Amino acid sequence: MNILLIHPNRYAQRYVSVGIGMISAVLKAAGHNVMFFDTSRYGEDMLDSAANALNRQTGRMEEVLQFVPVKLPPIRRAKESVSNSLNDIIRSFKPGLIGLSVTSSDFAYAVSIIEQIKHYRVPIIIGGAQAIASPIETLSVDGVDM
C-alpha cells in the first residue's frame, strides 16, 4: 500500500517527529511504499517569523545550557502552495492511507490541511502529541478517521 505521512509544521520548527520516522521505518519494513511530506518550506510570512523566534530561542538556550552554537542553513522556500503541492502528490502517489503527526501548536494548521484533502476519501489518521493530549477533539475533526 502507498502511505503518505504528513508533517504539518506551520512555524518551520527545525525538527521532524521521531515518531513519524519510526512509523515510516516500520511501514517500509512491512513492504509499504511511504512518502513523507513536510510543510516546513511553505509560507513566507510564517517562515520569517518562525526564523526570528527560533533565533531568539536558540540564542537563549545556548546561553542557559552553555552549548556550542549550531548554524543551520536557511530553509529554502517552496514556490508553490502547500495545497497545490499536496494535491499533486496525492494524485500521483495515490495513497491508500494518509497519516499526520501533529503537535497541539500545529493542530489548527493540520485541520486546514485535512480540509483541503478529505475530498479524496482516503482514510486519514492523526497521531502525535495532539492525539494523545486531546483524543476526543482530534477525532471530532471532519475528515479524520483514526
Side-chain angles (χ1 to χ4, degrees), residues 14-53:
R14 295 267 178 129
Y15 73 92
V16 174
S17 163
V18 173
I20 206 167
M22 289 188 292
I23 289 168
S24 176
V26 169
L27 291 170
K28 287 176 181 177
H32 297 284
N33 296 316
V34 179
M35 181 178 281
F36 179 69
F37 182 80
D38 184 1
T39 67
S40 298
R41 302 179 317 118
Y42 299 87
E44 304 225 355
D45 294 337
M46 291 179 286
L47 284 176
D48 289 338
S49 63
N52 291 335

Short mmCIF file of all heavy atoms in Angstrom, two decimals, residues 14-53:
data_model
loop_
_atom_site.label_atom_id
_atom_site.label_comp_id
_atom_site.label_asym_id
_atom_site.label_seq_id
_atom_site.Cartn_x
_atom_site.Cartn_y
_atom_site.Cartn_z
N ARG A 14 12.60 23.38 13.42
CA ARG A 14 13.63 22.52 12.82
C ARG A 14 13.65 21.14 13.46
O ARG A 14 14.62 20.75 14.09
CB ARG A 14 14.99 23.19 12.98
CG ARG A 14 15.10 24.48 12.22
CD ARG A 14 15.70 24.17 10.87
NE ARG A 14 15.79 25.37 10.08
CZ ARG A 14 16.89 25.77 9.48
NH1 ARG A 14 18.00 25.10 9.60
NH2 ARG A 14 16.87 26.84 8.74
N TYR A 15 12.60 20.42 13.30
CA TYR A 15 12.56 19.05 13.79
C TYR A 15 11.59 18.26 12.94
O TYR A 15 10.72 18.80 12.29
CB TYR A 15 12.10 18.98 15.25
CG TYR A 15 10.61 19.24 15.40
CD1 TYR A 15 9.71 18.18 15.39
CD2 TYR A 15 10.12 20.53 15.51
CE1 TYR A 15 8.35 18.41 15.48
CE2 TYR A 15 8.76 20.77 15.60
CZ TYR A 15 7.88 19.71 15.58
OH TYR A 15 6.53 19.93 15.66
N VAL A 16 11.79 16.97 12.92
CA VAL A 16 10.81 16.06 12.37
C VAL A 16 10.52 15.07 13.48
O VAL A 16 11.42 14.58 14.15
CB VAL A 16 11.33 15.34 11.11
CG1 VAL A 16 10.35 14.29 10.65
CG2 VAL A 16 11.59 16.35 10.00
N SER A 17 9.27 14.79 13.67
CA SER A 17 8.85 13.90 14.74
C SER A 17 9.59 12.57 14.67
O SER A 17 9.65 11.92 13.63
CB SER A 17 7.34 13.66 14.61
OG SER A 17 6.94 12.54 15.34
N VAL A 18 10.16 12.17 15.80
CA VAL A 18 10.81 10.87 15.88
C VAL A 18 9.77 9.78 15.64
O VAL A 18 10.04 8.78 14.98
CB VAL A 18 11.48 10.69 17.27
CG1 VAL A 18 12.00 9.28 17.43
CG2 VAL A 18 12.59 11.71 17.45
N GLY A 19 8.57 10.00 16.15
CA GLY A 19 7.50 9.01 15.99
C GLY A 19 7.18 8.74 14.53
O GLY A 19 7.04 7.59 14.11
N ILE A 20 7.07 9.79 13.73
CA ILE A 20 6.73 9.60 12.32
C ILE A 20 7.88 8.91 11.59
O ILE A 20 7.66 8.12 10.67
CB ILE A 20 6.31 10.93 11.65
CG1 ILE A 20 5.39 10.67 10.47
CG2 ILE A 20 7.50 11.76 11.23
CD1 ILE A 20 4.68 11.91 9.96
N GLY A 21 9.11 9.16 12.02
CA GLY A 21 10.25 8.46 11.44
C GLY A 21 10.22 6.97 11.75
O GLY A 21 10.49 6.13 10.89
N MET A 22 9.88 6.64 13.00
CA MET A 22 9.79 5.22 13.38
C MET A 22 8.65 4.53 12.64
O MET A 22 8.80 3.40 12.17
CB MET A 22 9.61 5.09 14.89
CG MET A 22 10.86 5.46 15.67
SD MET A 22 10.77 5.09 17.43
CE MET A 22 9.55 6.26 17.98
N ILE A 23 7.51 5.23 12.55
CA ILE A 23 6.37 4.65 11.83
C ILE A 23 6.74 4.40 10.37
O ILE A 23 6.42 3.34 9.82
CB ILE A 23 5.14 5.56 11.95
CG1 ILE A 23 4.61 5.51 13.39
CG2 ILE A 23 4.06 5.19 10.95
CD1 ILE A 23 3.58 6.57 13.73
N SER A 24 7.43 5.35 9.77
CA SER A 24 7.87 5.17 8.38
C SER A 24 8.75 3.93 8.23
O SER A 24 8.58 3.13 7.31
CB SER A 24 8.62 6.42 7.92
OG SER A 24 9.14 6.23 6.62
N ALA A 25 9.70 3.76 9.15
CA ALA A 25 10.61 2.61 9.09
C ALA A 25 9.86 1.29 9.23
O ALA A 25 10.12 0.33 8.49
CB ALA A 25 11.67 2.73 10.18
N VAL A 26 8.91 1.24 10.15
CA VAL A 26 8.13 0.01 10.36
C VAL A 26 7.28 -0.30 9.13
O VAL A 26 7.19 -1.44 8.67
CB VAL A 26 7.25 0.12 11.63
CG1 VAL A 26 6.25 -1.00 11.72
CG2 VAL A 26 8.14 0.16 12.87
N LEU A 27 6.65 0.75 8.57
CA LEU A 27 5.82 0.55 7.37
C LEU A 27 6.65 0.06 6.19
O LEU A 27 6.23 -0.84 5.46
CB LEU A 27 5.09 1.85 7.01
CG LEU A 27 4.00 2.29 7.98
CD1 LEU A 27 3.55 3.71 7.64
CD2 LEU A 27 2.82 1.32 7.95
N LYS A 28 7.83 0.65 6.01
CA LYS A 28 8.71 0.22 4.92
C LYS A 28 9.17 -1.22 5.12
O LYS A 28 9.22 -2.00 4.17
CB LYS A 28 9.91 1.15 4.81
CG LYS A 28 9.57 2.51 4.24
CD LYS A 28 10.77 3.44 4.23
CE LYS A 28 10.41 4.79 3.67
NZ LYS A 28 11.56 5.73 3.72
N ALA A 29 9.49 -1.58 6.38
CA ALA A 29 9.92 -2.95 6.67
C ALA A 29 8.80 -3.95 6.39
O ALA A 29 9.06 -5.11 6.06
CB ALA A 29 10.38 -3.06 8.12
N ALA A 30 7.55 -3.50 6.51
CA ALA A 30 6.40 -4.36 6.24
C ALA A 30 6.03 -4.38 4.76
O ALA A 30 5.04 -5.00 4.37
CB ALA A 30 5.20 -3.90 7.07
N GLY A 31 6.81 -3.69 3.93
CA GLY A 31 6.61 -3.74 2.49
C GLY A 31 5.77 -2.62 1.89
O GLY A 31 5.44 -2.66 0.71
N HIS A 32 5.44 -1.61 2.69
CA HIS A 32 4.63 -0.50 2.16
C HIS A 32 5.54 0.55 1.51
O HIS A 32 6.71 0.69 1.86
CB HIS A 32 3.84 0.16 3.30
CG HIS A 32 2.85 -0.76 3.93
ND1 HIS A 32 1.66 -1.11 3.33
CD2 HIS A 32 2.89 -1.43 5.10
CE1 HIS A 32 1.00 -1.94 4.11
NE2 HIS A 32 1.73 -2.16 5.20
N ASN A 33 4.98 1.27 0.57
CA ASN A 33 5.65 2.42 -0.03
C ASN A 33 5.25 3.64 0.78
O ASN A 33 4.07 3.93 0.93
CB ASN A 33 5.23 2.61 -1.49
CG ASN A 33 5.64 1.45 -2.36
OD1 ASN A 33 6.76 0.97 -2.25
ND2 ASN A 33 4.74 1.01 -3.20
N VAL A 34 6.23 4.36 1.29
CA VAL A 34 5.96 5.50 2.16
C VAL A 34 6.54 6.76 1.53
O VAL A 34 7.69 6.77 1.08
CB VAL A 34 6.57 5.29 3.56
CG1 VAL A 34 6.30 6.50 4.46
CG2 VAL A 34 6.01 4.02 4.20
N MET A 35 5.73 7.81 1.53
CA MET A 35 6.20 9.13 1.10
C MET A 35 6.00 10.10 2.25
O MET A 35 4.99 10.03 2.95
CB MET A 35 5.43 9.61 -0.13
CG MET A 35 5.90 10.96 -0.64
SD MET A 35 5.04 11.51 -2.12
CE MET A 35 5.90 10.52 -3.34
N PHE A 36 6.96 10.98 2.44
CA PHE A 36 6.91 11.95 3.53
C PHE A 36 6.74 13.34 2.94
O PHE A 36 7.46 13.73 2.03
CB PHE A 36 8.20 11.86 4.34
CG PHE A 36 8.28 12.83 5.48
CD1 PHE A 36 7.46 12.67 6.59
CD2 PHE A 36 9.16 13.88 5.45
CE1 PHE A 36 7.52 13.57 7.65
CE2 PHE A 36 9.24 14.78 6.50
CZ PHE A 36 8.41 14.62 7.60
N PHE A 37 5.77 14.10 3.47
CA PHE A 37 5.53 15.47 3.03
C PHE A 37 5.66 16.39 4.23
O PHE A 37 4.91 16.29 5.19
CB PHE A 37 4.13 15.60 2.42
CG PHE A 37 3.83 16.98 1.89
CD1 PHE A 37 4.33 17.38 0.66
CD2 PHE A 37 3.07 17.86 2.62
CE1 PHE A 37 4.06 18.65 0.16
CE2 PHE A 37 2.79 19.13 2.13
CZ PHE A 37 3.28 19.52 0.90
N ASP A 38 6.64 17.30 4.17
CA ASP A 38 6.91 18.24 5.26
C ASP A 38 6.53 19.64 4.79
O ASP A 38 6.99 20.10 3.74
CB ASP A 38 8.40 18.18 5.60
CG ASP A 38 8.79 19.04 6.78
OD1 ASP A 38 7.91 19.69 7.37
OD2 ASP A 38 9.97 19.05 7.12
N THR A 39 5.70 20.33 5.55
CA THR A 39 5.24 21.66 5.15
C THR A 39 6.20 22.77 5.54
O THR A 39 5.89 23.95 5.35
CB THR A 39 3.86 21.96 5.76
OG1 THR A 39 3.99 22.08 7.17
CG2 THR A 39 2.84 20.90 5.42
N SER A 40 7.36 22.45 6.06
CA SER A 40 8.30 23.46 6.56
C SER A 40 8.71 24.50 5.52
O SER A 40 9.04 25.62 5.88
CB SER A 40 9.58 22.80 7.08
OG SER A 40 9.29 21.95 8.15
N ARG A 41 8.69 24.13 4.26
CA ARG A 41 9.19 25.04 3.22
C ARG A 41 8.13 26.00 2.69
O ARG A 41 8.37 26.74 1.75
CB ARG A 41 9.73 24.23 2.04
CG ARG A 41 10.82 23.29 2.41
CD ARG A 41 11.34 22.47 1.23
NE ARG A 41 10.30 21.95 0.37
CZ ARG A 41 10.17 22.26 -0.93
NH1 ARG A 41 10.99 23.10 -1.51
NH2 ARG A 41 9.22 21.74 -1.66
N TYR A 42 6.95 25.99 3.25
CA TYR A 42 5.84 26.77 2.70
C TYR A 42 5.47 27.92 3.63
O TYR A 42 5.47 27.77 4.85
CB TYR A 42 4.62 25.87 2.50
CG TYR A 42 4.90 24.76 1.53
CD1 TYR A 42 5.44 23.56 1.97
CD2 TYR A 42 4.64 24.91 0.19
CE1 TYR A 42 5.70 22.53 1.07
CE2 TYR A 42 4.90 23.88 -0.71
CZ TYR A 42 5.44 22.70 -0.27
OH TYR A 42 5.70 21.70 -1.15
N GLY A 43 5.10 29.04 3.05
CA GLY A 43 4.58 30.16 3.83
C GLY A 43 5.63 31.16 4.21
O GLY A 43 6.28 31.02 5.23
N GLU A 44 5.80 32.19 3.41
CA GLU A 44 6.88 33.16 3.61
C GLU A 44 6.77 33.89 4.94
O GLU A 44 7.73 33.99 5.68
CB GLU A 44 6.89 34.16 2.47
CG GLU A 44 7.02 33.47 1.13
CD GLU A 44 8.01 34.14 0.24
OE1 GLU A 44 8.52 35.19 0.60
OE2 GLU A 44 8.26 33.59 -0.82
N ASP A 45 5.60 34.44 5.26
CA ASP A 45 5.46 35.20 6.50
C ASP A 45 5.71 34.30 7.70
O ASP A 45 6.34 34.69 8.66
CB ASP A 45 4.07 35.82 6.61
CG ASP A 45 3.84 36.88 5.54
OD1 ASP A 45 4.85 37.42 5.04
OD2 ASP A 45 2.69 37.14 5.22
N MET A 46 5.18 33.07 7.63
CA MET A 46 5.35 32.15 8.74
C MET A 46 6.82 31.80 8.91
O MET A 46 7.32 31.73 10.02
CB MET A 46 4.52 30.90 8.51
CG MET A 46 3.02 31.15 8.59
SD MET A 46 2.07 29.68 8.29
CE MET A 46 2.25 29.46 6.55
N LEU A 47 7.52 31.58 7.81
CA LEU A 47 8.93 31.21 7.91
C LEU A 47 9.75 32.35 8.48
O LEU A 47 10.64 32.14 9.30
CB LEU A 47 9.47 30.81 6.54
CG LEU A 47 9.06 29.44 6.04
CD1 LEU A 47 9.59 29.23 4.63
CD2 LEU A 47 9.54 28.34 6.95
N ASP A 48 9.48 33.58 8.07
CA ASP A 48 10.23 34.72 8.58
C ASP A 48 10.03 34.87 10.08
O ASP A 48 10.98 35.02 10.84
CB ASP A 48 9.83 36.01 7.86
CG ASP A 48 10.34 36.04 6.43
OD1 ASP A 48 11.30 35.31 6.13
OD2 ASP A 48 9.76 36.79 5.62
N SER A 49 8.78 34.83 10.54
CA SER A 49 8.52 35.00 11.97
C SER A 49 9.06 33.80 12.75
O SER A 49 9.56 33.95 13.85
CB SER A 49 7.04 35.21 12.25
OG SER A 49 6.30 34.09 11.86
N ALA A 50 8.98 32.62 12.15
CA ALA A 50 9.50 31.43 12.83
C ALA A 50 11.01 31.49 12.95
O ALA A 50 11.58 31.14 13.98
CB ALA A 50 9.09 30.17 12.07
N ALA A 51 11.67 31.95 11.91
CA ALA A 51 13.14 32.05 11.95
C ALA A 51 13.57 33.03 13.03
O ALA A 51 14.52 32.76 13.76
CB ALA A 51 13.67 32.49 10.59
N ASN A 52 12.87 34.16 13.15
CA ASN A 52 13.21 35.12 14.18
C ASN A 52 13.01 34.54 15.57
O ASN A 52 13.84 34.70 16.45
CB ASN A 52 12.39 36.40 14.02
CG ASN A 52 12.79 37.18 12.78
OD1 ASN A 52 13.92 37.06 12.32
ND2 ASN A 52 11.87 37.95 12.24
N ALA A 53 11.88 33.85 15.76
CA ALA A 53 11.60 33.23 17.05
C ALA A 53 12.62 32.14 17.36
O ALA A 53 13.11 32.03 18.48
CB ALA A 53 10.19 32.65 17.08
#
